[in-house]
Structures are given as structure tokens and as C-alpha cells.
Amino acid sequence: MIWGIDLLILLLVVICAIATITIKDLLSATIIFGVYSFLMCLLWAEMGAVDVAFTEATVGAGVSTILFIGTILHTSRRSKD
Amino acid sequence: MKILQERIKHTKFGESLIIETAIRIMVPFIQLFGLYVIVHGHYSPGGGFQGGVILGASFILIGLGYDFKTSLSRMQEKTNIILGNLGALLYTGVAILCALMGGLFLDYSALDKLIPMGPIEWRSFGIFLVEVGVGLAVMSIMVSLFWDLCSGGDLDEGL
Amino acid sequence: MEDFITLVIAKYNYWIYVILMMIGFYAMIGKKNLVKKLLGMNIFQTAIILMFVSAGVKKGASIPILDKHEVLTHGIEAAQIVNPLPHVLMLTAIVVSVSITGVALAVILRIYRKYGTLEEDEIMEKLGQ
Amino acid sequence: MIYQSSIWPLMAVLVSLCGAIPILASERKPNLRESWTLLIAAAKVVIVASLLPTVLNGGGFVFTIAEVIPNVPIQLRVDAMGMFFALVASILWFFTSLYSIGYMRALDEHGQTRYYASFAVAISATIGVAFSANLLTLYLFYEVLSLSTYPLVTHHQDAEAKKSGRKYLTYILGTSIALALPAMLLTYQLAGTLDFTSGGILAASGASPATLGLILVLFLFGFAKAGLMPFHGWLPAAMVAPTPVSSFLHGVAVVKVGVFSILRVIFHIFGPDLLFDVNLGVVITTIASLTILVASLIALTQDNLKRRLAYSTIGQLSYMILGAGMLTAAGMTGGLLHIAMHAFGKITLFFCAGAIFVATGKKYISQMDGLGKRMPITYLAFFFGSLSIIGMPPFGGFISKWSLATGAIESGQLILLLVLLTSSMLNALYFFPIIYRGFFLPAAKGEPEGIKEAPIFCLLPLSITAICSLGLFFWPSIFLQLAKMAVIP
Amino acid sequence: MTTSNLHMYVMAAPLICALFVNLLGRRSRTYIAPLTLGSLLFSSVTACFVLANALKNGRMSYTVGNWSPPYGIELIIDPLAALMLLLISVVALLATCAALPTVQREHAGKEHLFFTLYLILIAGLMGLVMTGDAFNLYVLLEITSITTYGLIAMGKGRAVLSSFNYIIMGSIGACFYLLGIGYIYILTGTLNMADIATRLPLVQGDAAVATAFAFLIVGLFIKMAFFPLHGWLPHAYSDAPMGAGVMIAPLMTKVTIYLMFRVIFSIFSPDYAFYQHAIIQNLIIWAAAISIIAASLMALAQRDLRRMLTYIIIAEVGYMVGGIWLANTQGLTGALLHIVNDALMTLCLFLAAATILYRIGSLHFDDLKGLYQRMPLTMLAFTIGAFSMIGVPPTAGFFSKWYLILGGIEAGHWEYVAALIFSSLINAILFFRLIEIAYFGNGDHGHGHKQTLPPTGSAPWYMQGSLLVTAVTLIIIGLGSGQLVQGVIKLALPAGF
Amino acid sequence: MKALAFVATLVTGAILLYGTMDFPAWGDPQAPASVHLSTHYIEEAVAETHVPNIVTAVLGDYRGYDTMFETIVIYCAGLAVVSVLRRSR
């Protein structure tokens, strides 16, 4: 286990999380959230939790993002904060 | 003008031959993989839930690549709901069946009285059964979530 | 100082999860946009999942999928395999989280249909009239 | 005292409670409904009277309904004190039922079914209070009584009734929840039981005098039905009710339930000895004396006949509490006895007020000039009643007042005697003008000629109760004996 | 195998029937009522046997899947859990009688969806009271939440907004609970409540245990709408469809309070929860007192029956939380008894509200004039429920309040005692205001408010029947509270109380 | 409002951080979580259920009750979405 990569991913995860909640365009925020999920999934795979990683990859980065996008397209992309 | 609008409505916007073909080729493999993940959950990562999501994703992909109507025609809404119900029913039914067969709730080895094949083997098989149930339910619900959320609940116009 | 650095090395994973959790929590209660709140909720839940998964990690251990015959004949040393229990729990938690997300999105759609906006303060203004 | 287990106390309570059902059922047949009412009233008198001999012989009955709280069951018990009150209430209910029929029919009131049903529940609760074996049971029936009288007070369902009903509930329910309930809980916490035991249950608890004083004050004001000032305001307000309600409930049942509860607390929760030891009798007598004097003075200024009677009631109620507060045998007997004597007197007065209203539609004393000549029986009865209240011989009121006065002397607090005498004088001052106006002043000009006595159903009960007040002077033995047995076990 | 599966059938019946309601109900409406009522009736009857068994044999440990306790999921059926099972099934059964016609009117075409969610919610609540596993509790908590979100969002008006608000708050609560469980898992390595309880005292880290405790309790506080965290409840419960509110309002908060009881006594020890942090204990009791007073005052400001009732629910939560944290026998007895009583009281009032809504089409105070003449039986039951809320003997509400106040006196928490009495008074005002409106107003001189109300028909007999049964039960429970306390609740109190 | 949220977040985070002080070091094989329950699963699960993927074994059998409700949760989510979104006909 190379803790450099570990730390890098963790840092990226935090950056993605902050970006997700600060970006005003909801569609972008959702996509970044997908990235966040995917990074999370990497992290867990690296920690040995393959099943969880698998699930997160299919659900968090996949279906969840699509659902978000579907909703946003039916509502509005705009966010004041 | 009106005719033009009609025509725009009928020519499926946002579709290209490449995407359609790619999806047409990919979907069966994705579904196969989904089934593999469900069935092979005992020996590799995955299981009912992940496989179910993948199966569902294949239908979602149809909905994304083609249009809404096509995905609805591939999987009837009614069938979908019945499948989801059957999945949940399979799980709870097995659980109850274990209790009715004289064991405890969800004690798969009690099913040995039904078909004798060894209590431990039954545990393995019981897990398989419920995984299939989970897979069915999850697939159906994922598709249903997609349909409803991406069409705003009307099931006519999708993404 | 030495102690502090060892503490950092030993615990930084936990700290990252606390930071993520704070980000999510803040979005849930501080943001006005309903979708943002929901994204915050998802971040919150992933943070918790991260915590659980971290709890199952063992240095130098392998994934919890074994060789059936090997194990049945020779047995296995528990320290070689990561702790599978948190994984199981978190599978459930992920499912729960996606279910809630689904329901919340449906509710958001209805809210938009009714009020034409997703900003909390604008909705409140509309209600006030 | 040996109590024998028996279902009859429960029957005494239930007979009218269950009686409410046939009354409600026969809504469309007034005659049937009124027959039910009378039948139930008669049955109640019979049941209560049938328990009397045993009690007079020093026995008693007990019946446990449910075991609700450790050491505190919901239990009925018939002892001398309860018997005393139950007897008064059940006899007078019979007369009131008769009177109600006449009154309600003459005025053609609406909602008579509800009226009779509520009345039946109310009398049930009254008997329940009388036969309660412990404070919890008493509280239970006390609350039932408060709630069941609400429809009676607000019978007219107009704005004034609404206002009075609100006031009524605020005072009665408010005090019972805010004051009596905590007091009861404190008692339970200190004593571990709530059983009425002669000699009291708090004596053994070793509570400090301050705590005891607090509990006592909470009880005194908590049972606001007794009308101790400053929690008396509901009684004049409740006079908007039809007169039979005022006469029976606010002359007898409701107010006496309040007094009875306080007497129970003094006799059987604290015990006179404990009160004497920590010198808390003074608290009771002070509050009671103030109420007596102030209420009598206010009564002088009232022009509405029923309101004057209401203030008079407030004053008279405090006599009973005053008697108990003297903590002497004679005083306590007098207090208890006054329940009966005042009941017979006051109900007569209210009946007369009602009869006047039925016959003439008049409510105010200033309009009643010269009525005595046209309604001689009513006015004579009124005369008897007021004499009894004032305490003149040969009327029942004299006996209780005499006993009270003896008690005051025994206790050495001569100021109390002064209070009694002053108040009697004030009583005379606010009653005699009415009679004087009735008999000796000429009727006002423009008075319609056709005024005559109220219907027979009104007239009969009031004559009987008036005669009873007279008779009680000569044959007070049953009540006297019961009162004595209650005070000296 | 000596252990019985009875309690599992209690829970499984609504669960399985829920799936069938969805399958068959979409074909024809006629399947729904028999399936729903049948399963709940079965549950109620079975729950009686479970309770009898539990009283006879004492606490029973049941392992799902026949794995010995720390490895498999353990269920605990003690008298209290059995009592809660019975309570839930009976309340649900009675509520369903009112829910069926209401839903038929409000959500025609969606009944199968409604009742599927409804039955799963009931099954989830039943699972909650039995579980002995901390993580299983989380999953079940989420089941109940997610069904509730759905049910509430089906309502009219601003229901969706309330539902979203509830989703956010509920998720925060559940996440906090999960965080607490995570901490405990990291410290002890187990999820079984009994196992945690044995291993927790050996754990070195005091800070982590305290954090875990704080998050578990705060999470549950959010879920039960305890005072500063109550903001979501009034809207959520008053905007919910009446059919759902009738069942959710009596059960949800009560079950959560029961869970708090379980967490305190099964995971932690009373010694840890109450005595090591006396400041926290005082703080919570103060919060309970403030909660009671504030919620009562808020209720006073409402002009709609259902909103008023929701605020009363918050006040009642204060009663029970305070009672548990008083940490003495009387307080605990009172709190547990009040869980039972309050569920029935709230049920009675909500059933009455549902019946009135069905008939009149509105619950605004101005529209309730003269109800005593129009619906005497309903108002009679309502009055009994109101008396119970106020605490008039011999209705049930009086007796639990009795124990609670005694507990407060014993513990010397006078603020709590004062709050209880104050709230009784406020309740008296609240309900008598209503009773006055319903008793007096003759409806015809409406002051401009008299709009056209939806067409009304008299409520079906089973709706009124369940209401009357509830009202009578209130009195029976009141008279039988001695037996209830001695026979069940005394057995349920943890050791040392 | 934002300030309040921020403060609440900080307080929550601080408490959580305070709690992590007592945690075992990250990846410690001797941590309580790694030595108590999970060893049983790792060592016995295959023999007891004949499933080599321990996660599946625990998910499907040891904690099958959880998983059953997990399925119900997602089932409910689907139903809830349908019931919330569909306009009633």
C-alpha cells in the first residue's frame, strides 16, 4: 500500500467534495460528484473493499449521477449558492 | 411551420447511428455480465445488488441512447413491476419458508427438509436464491427510478 | 512534535473523513438549493462509508475472497484478510443512500413542478404571498 | 370499623350513570324520558337508604373497582361521612328531578334530553365523591362532576352561557389540575398512600410544617368548588344555568362536593390532631372567615336574585370549612351538619327563585314588589328557607349554627364566634328585604294581572323541602348521628 | 428448537401482504382492504400470544438464521418489546379502518402504492422494537423513514416541501445514528447490543465512547423531534395525507422513544447514561421542560385541528424523554406507560380528526361549529381522547402523567413537574376551546369564511367503529393501568430500577 | 443562517475529531474491530456456508436479515418515487 497515492486520492476527494458544493452550475456539480464517487471507489478498492467499490462504481458514479442529471434537466441548472 | 415542428418531433433528435449501433452491440453483453455478477457472487466480487444495478443500467442505456419509448418497449412497465415484486417476494418468501419448515427465520439449512442436499449446501444455495431475488428487485427498481425521474413521472418524454 | 506526527500518520484517514462529513453536513443545513442539499447528503453518507471501510483495513492484508478448497483443507489466518464486516454494512448503507436519493429527487421534481424554483428562500417567499 | 365487601356502593353510583343511556335513548318521548328520570332518582334514594342501617350500626361497605396505582385502588367505601352526604344528595336529587320536569316544561326549554342525561351523570359523580375510599377516587369523581356539569351550565348555548361556561371550567378544572393534583401527588409521595384514614395519613410522614402548610393551601384552593375566595368567581357566573341546575348543583351537589372534599382532606388526610399540632387550623379559619364576611357583604349589593343566592352560598360554604378548621368536635360536627341544613334551605330558596321566574319571568329583586300576595306558597317557602339559612329556630339551620358556635367557644377563638354572629346578621339583612318587598310593598304599576303560582311540579318540591327544613329542627337525629359518627369514629 | 417463530410472523404478515397488495391491488381495488386488514388482524392476534409468551417465559433471545448471537442478528423479545408489538399492530389495525376510506377518496388510483408503503412501514416499526442489533436498527430506521417520506409526499398542498424538509432532517438523524454506531464498532468490534454492553466498559477511550453516545442520542432526538430539533414535525405530520397521518402520528415518535430507551439501557448502562454526566442529564430534562411548555404554547396559536395535534405530539415527546432521563423508577414507569397511552390517545384524536375531515372536508376551527349535533358519536370519542390528553381520570392519560410527575418530584426536578402541570392546563384550554366551538356554534352565521366545502357523506361505520373502540380502550387502559404497570412494565424496567 | 450552519458544522466536526483521539491507529491488525467478530467470519464462514466470498456469505446469511430489509428499502424507494411522481388518473 503506497500511502502517497492514498494521500493524493484523499486530497482529490476533498477537493471534489468542496467543488461539488460550491459550483453554482448544478449539472457541473453533479458531474463532479460523479468524479468524487469514482475516486471514493478507487480508494475503497485500494483498501481491499472490492464489493463496496464495485457497488459504489455502479451506483454512486453510475445510476445516481444519471438520476441527478435527469432531475436537473427537468428542473433547473441554476443554483444561487 | 407546424409541419416542420411535427417532423422535428418525429425525427428522433440527439440520436446517431454510431451510438445506436454501439448500444445495440453492448447491451446484450452488459446484461450477460450483470447475470454473471449475480450468479458468480459467491466466488468473485459482486452479488445480487451489483448485478441488479448492472442489469438495470443496460435498460437505462437503451433509454439514454435511443429514446424513452424504445426502453419502455424493451421492458414493459408492468413486467418490470412484477419482476421487482417477485424479487422482493423471493427473498421474504424464502425467509418465511425457512420458518415454516420448522427452522428459524432465514435459516436456510432448514430447507433441507424440502429437498435434501445437506444443510451447508443449502446455506450456499439459499444465499444464491436470495441474491437472485435482490438482483431482480434492484434491477426493476433501478429501471423504474430512471423512468420516473427522467421523465418527470409521465413516462412519455425522457432525457 | 514527534508524537504529533505519528498521530497524524496514524489517524489522517479518520481526519479526512471528518472533513468530508463536515462538508456534506454544511451543505445539508447551510445551502439553500435543494439539489445541493441532496448532494451534501450523499457526501455525508460516503464520508461515513469511508469511516467504516477504514475501520476494516488491516495493513498488508488481502481482499476477503478466499480459495474454498485451500481454506477447507488448511484453514486461514485472520490477520491476512481485511475485515469483511464493515463492507457488508456499507453495502447496505449505499443501497439506503441511493434509495433516499431517489425519493428525494422525486420530491424535488414535484416541488419544482409546484413552485417553479429549487431555492429554499424563493419558495418561502412564494409561500408567504 | 369493619367494612364488608358489597357491590351496592357501586350500584348506587352506576344506577344514574347507566340511567343516562335510556334517557338518551328515549329522546323523542318526553314522558318516557321523564319517567326514567324519576325512576332512577327513586332507585337511587332506595339504594342509598338501604345502606343506611348498617352504617348507623357502625358498619360499612367497600368495593374495589380497579387497582390502578400501587396502594391506591379506585375504591368505593361507605362510611358515616360519605353516607351523610350521599343521603342529602340523593334525597334532594329526587325533588330536583320533580322540579326540573315542571320548570323545563313550563319554559319549554330546548335540549332537555341532554339536560337530563348530564344531570344523571352529575349525580352519579356526586355519589361517587361521597363514597370515595381514597383521594384518587374522589379526584376522579370530582373531575367527572366538573365535566358533566359543563353542558348544564352552558345549557342555553348563547354568548353569555359560553362566557360563563368558560369561566366555570377555568376555575374548576384549572384549580383541580394546577393545585389539587400536585397536592395529591405530594401527599402520595410523602405518605405512600391516599386512603382516607381517620386520624390522617400525613401524620406519620414526618413532613415539615412548611410542606404541610403548602399542601393544605393547595388543597383548600384546589377544590375550588368550595368557593373559597379568591376562587369563588365561577359560582355567580354559573347562575346563567336553568334554575334547577343552580338549585341542585350550585346549591347542593357541586359546591358541597368541594366542601366535602376539603373536609375529607382535613379529617382523613391530615387529621385534626396533626393540624392542631402544627397549628394549621388558623390558616383554614382565616381564609374561611374572610370569605364568609366578604361574600355576605357582596350578597347585599346584588339585585339579581340568583346571584344574591350564589353569594350567600359562597358565604355559607365557608361556614362548613370554618367549622372543620376549628378542629374541635363540636365545630367539626357543626360544619358537617351544615352541609345538610344549608342544602335543604338553599335548595328551597333556589326553587322559589325558579318558580318566580317561571311564573313571572322576573330575575331581579327590585322587580319583585308585591309578589308575595300572588304567590303565597312560594313566598312562604322562601321565608322558611331564609330563616333556616340565617339560623333561626325552629329551623334546621339553627342546629348546625349552634354547633358551630359551641365549637368556636370550645376552641377558645372567640373571634370566630364574632364572625358567625356578624355573618348571621348580614344574612338576615340580605334576605329580609326580599320577603318584605314581596309581602308588604305594592306591586309596580303596569304589572300584568294573570300572575299566579308556578305549576304544581314546581310548587310541590319546594313546599316539601321547605317543610323539611322545618322538620330537621325537630328530627335531626339521623344526620346528627351520622355527623357525630364521622367526627368521632 | 424450543424458541417459537411467532413474533416473526407478526412482522412478516404485513411485509408479505404489502408485496401482494402491490401485485394484486393494481389489478383490482377490492383486494386491498381484505389483505391489509387481514394481515394486521393476524398480527394483532399473534402479538397477543407473543405477549402472553413473553410474560410467561420472560426475555427471549432469537437469532435470525440460527447463528449464535454476536455473529448473527439477534432479536430480543422481552415483555416490553412484546407490548410494543401488540401496540403497533393494534394501533395500525385501528388506523387502517380510517385510512381505507380516506385514501380511497384522496388518492383514487394510487391505493395499492399507498397501502404497500403503509404496510411496510408497519412491518418496519415492528422490526424496530424487536431488534437487538445496532446496525439492523439503522436499516429498519431507514425503512420506516423512507416509507414515511413517500407517504407524506403523497399529500396535498405543501406536503412535498414538508417531505423534503423531513428527508433532510431525517437523513441527518439517521447519519448521526450511523456515525455513533461506527464509533462503537471501531471501539468494540461488534454490533450486537448485548455484546457491546459487555465490551464497552473494557474500552479505554472515554472520549470516543462519549462521542458515540452523543451522536446516537442526538440522532434519535432528531428522529423523534425533541425540542430544539423538532422543526420538521408539525409540517410533515399535518401535511401528510390523513390516511397516513392517522398511523404515523401515533406510532413514529413513540417507537423512536422506545428505541432511545433501548439504546440507553441495552447498549450503554444507566450508570453511564445518567450519572456520569449529571450536567447532560439536567440539560436534557430542562430541554424537555422547555419543549413541553414551548410546544404547548405553539399549539395554542394554531387554528387548525391537525396542526394543533402535531404540536401536542411534540409536547408529549418532551414528557417521555424527560421521564426517561429522570432516571428513577417512577419516571421510567411513567415514560413507558405514556408510550402506550400516548399512542392510543393520539390515535383517538387523529381518528376523530380523520372522521371529521371525511365528513366536513376541513379541520379549520371555523368549520367545526356545531359538530356535536352533526356527529355526536365522533365528538364523544374526541372528547374522551381530549380528556385523556388533559389527564382527566379515569382515562389513560392521567395515570402516566401521575407517574411522570411523581418521578419529577422524587428526582427533585421541579421545572419538569411545573412544565407537566402547565401543559395539562394548556391542553385543557386547547381542547375546551375546540369543544366549545363544536358545542356552541350553530354553523349558519359563518363570517365570510363559509366557502363551499367538498361534498360530504357520513363516514363509514368501521371508521366510526374504530374510533369508538379506541375511545373505550382509553378508559379500559386507564382502569387497567395498575395491571399494566405491575404485569408488564415493572418486568420491562432494567435491573436496578 | 449560514453562520449558524457553519458553527453547527464546526461543532459537530470538532466533537467527531475529539472522538477519533481514542481510535486505534489506522490499519492496525490488533484493533478491536479486527479481532473480535470478523475473525470468526474469516475463519469459519467458508466452512459454514461454502461461500468463498466472505462478504457475500455474511451479507446473504449471517446478516441476511439486514439484507432482506435492504431489498425492502430499495423496493420502497421505487414505490415511493412512483407514488410521488405519477399524477393520479
Side-chain angles (χ1 to χ4, degrees), chain D residues 157-485:
Chain D
Q157 290 184 292
D158 53 13
E160 197 193 352
K162 191 171 174 177
K163 207 170 120 235
S164 308
R166 204 179 276 180
K167 197 167 184 180
Y168 178 72
L169 275 183
T170 314
Y171 274 94
I172 299 290
L173 209 60
T175 49
S176 71
I177 291 175
L179 305 175
L181 182 61
M184 187 162 70
L185 281 154
L186 282 171
T187 312
Y188 181 68
Q189 179 73 13
L190 288 172
T193 173
L194 287 175
D195 256 7
F196 293 136
T197 317
S198 51
I201 53 173
L202 277 173
S205 69
S208 68
T211 318
L212 289 175
L214 176 74
I215 296 177
L216 179 68
V217 171
L218 285 178
F219 270 129
L220 284 180
F221 291 130
F223 292 120
K225 283 180 184 154
L228 278 178
M229 284 187 180
F231 292 100
H232 66 285
W234 62 272
L235 188 53
M239 288 302 142
V240 296
T243 309
V245 176
S246 311
S247 59
F248 182 62
L249 294 177
H250 305 124
V252 183
V254 171
V255 289
K256 257 99 197 189
V257 159
V259 172
F260 185 77
S261 308
I262 290 178
L263 294 193
R264 274 287 197 199
V265 167
I266 293 173
F267 288 8
H268 293 154
I269 295 290
F270 285 91
D273 296 338
L274 177 66
L275 287 175
F276 190 77
D277 288 343
V278 290
N279 208 14
L280 281 171
V282 183
V283 178
I284 306 171
T285 48
T286 314
I287 299 172
S289 312
L290 281 176
T291 308
I292 292 173
L293 294 176
V294 176
S296 305
L297 285 171
I298 296 176
L300 275 176
T301 66
Q302 299 296 320
D303 188 31
N304 184 324
L305 178 54
K306 276 171 75 180
R307 283 182 76 87
R308 183 175 289 195
L309 292 178
Y311 277 103
S312 157
T313 309
I314 295 171
Q316 298 294 321
L317 294 175
S318 287
Y319 273 59
M320 308 159 199
I321 297 166
L322 182 73
M326 290 169 189
L327 302 176
T328 59
M332 284 153 72
T333 315
L336 201 53
L337 210 52
H338 201 58
I339 290 182
M341 303 309 176
H342 172 251
F344 279 95
K346 193 46 82 45
I347 205 167
T348 313
L349 296 179
F350 271 114
F351 281 170
C352 295
I356 295 170
F357 181 69
V358 168
T360 67
K362 287 176 181 174
K363 287 181 181 172
Y364 295 96
I365 296 162
S366 50
Q367 303 168 339
M368 292 179 186
D369 297 351
L371 274 181
K373 290 161 211 158
R374 301 178 185 186
M375 308 173 67
I377 304 178
T378 310
Y379 263 75
L380 196 64
F382 194 93
F383 185 57
F384 278 23
S386 42
L387 284 182
S388 177
I389 299 285
I390 297 164
M392 296 278 199
F395 289 94
F398 173 76
I399 297 181
S400 52
K401 284 209 175 171
W402 180 260
S403 189
L404 284 172
T406 322
I409 296 167
E410 263 180 31
S411 71
Q413 293 165 288
L414 288 179
I415 186 141
L416 296 183
L417 190 65
L418 201 66
V419 169
L420 284 173
L421 291 177
T422 321
S423 150
S424 292
M425 213 167 66
L426 288 170
N427 290 348
L429 277 177
Y430 60 68
F431 276 133
F432 281 140
I434 304 172
I435 297 154
Y436 174 77
R437 274 169 184 271
F439 281 122
F440 301 109
L441 285 189
K445 292 275 184 294
E447 191 91 356
E449 279 305 307
I451 293 177
K452 55 178 192 298
E453 287 284 5
I456 181 72
F457 268 121
C458 291
L459 216 51
L460 191 66
L462 69 87
S463 324
I464 298 174
T465 50
I467 292 166
C468 282
S469 319
L470 183 66
L472 278 176
F473 177 78
F474 299 104
W475 301 281
S477 58
I478 291 180
F479 290 114
L480 201 57
Q481 196 182 341
L482 282 173
K484 280 192 173 145
M485 282 170 69

Side-chain angles (χ1 to χ4, degrees), chain E residues 474-486:
Chain E
L474 276 178
I475 293 179
I476 293 175
I477 294 262
L479 289 177
S481 73
Q483 274 88 343
L484 192 61
V485 168
Q486 294 296 333

